[in-house]
Amino acid sequence: MVMQEKHAIRDCSRLGLKKPDAVRPIKFTLSSADTVQRILRKSHVLRSKEGYRKVYICPDRTKEERAVFRLSKEKKKEKEKEQHQHSSDTEDDLLLLSRMKTIQNM
């Protein structure tokens, strides 16, 4: 992926202030919207590569788009937490029921 798209990078810079033990994002400016779409489509491949699991590529967003994206991520996390809590409650109930049956059979 990198070798094929290398020619498309027009600019590259770090964002934010330099701080010890802090990772700063990198902003790339690409030559065309088509190139951006191709790279974004391939970005999921990074998650499967050793050493790149924490690297992610996201599109440039306006403040409003970032706010909407952040809210949707928070809602997704809450939903996953609720589902996990529900499954934990169900597992606890099943464990309690199996212990009660064991006690009754004694």
Side-chain angles (χ1 to χ4, degrees):
M1 179 169 93
V2 174
M3 297 305 287
Q4 295 170 351
E5 306 298 343
K6 191 173 183 178
H7 65 282
I9 299 172
R10 288 194 329 210
D11 188 34
C12 174
S13 61
R14 289 247 180 215
L15 301 175
L17 299 173
K18 190 173 185 177
K19 296 178 185 176
D21 299 326
V23 177
R24 294 167 42 204
I26 301 173
K27 178 182 177 182
F28 289 94
T29 304
L30 302 171
S31 60
S32 71
D34 184 52
T35 303
V36 171
Q37 291 304 315
R38 284 192 315 223
I39 289 173
L40 288 173
R41 267 187 259 123
K42 296 177 188 177
S43 66
H44 69 280
V45 175
L46 284 175
R47 300 275 182 199
S48 64
K49 301 292 181 184
E50 190 64 37
Y52 294 96
R53 296 189 197 286
K54 294 184 179 183
V55 175
Y56 62 95
I57 298 174
C58 61
D60 191 18
R61 295 183 174 105
T62 64
K63 285 184 179 184
E64 293 82 17
E65 289 172 331
R66 287 192 300 263
V68 169
F69 183 73
R70 189 178 309 111
L71 284 173
S72 68
K73 278 179 58 175
E74 289 172 1
K75 286 181 181 179
K76 182 179 177 185
K77 281 185 181 181
E78 287 177 18
K79 187 175 181 179
E80 288 173 354
K81 186 177 178 181
E82 288 173 7
Q83 288 175 344
H84 177 71
Q85 181 64 36
H86 178 69
S87 66
S88 293
D89 290 346
T90 304
E91 289 170 6
D92 291 343
D93 291 345
L94 290 174
L95 182 60
L96 181 62
L97 285 173
S98 67
R99 285 183 182 164
M100 288 174 63
K101 287 181 181 178
T102 304
I103 292 170
Q104 288 174 351
N105 291 335
M106 291 184 149

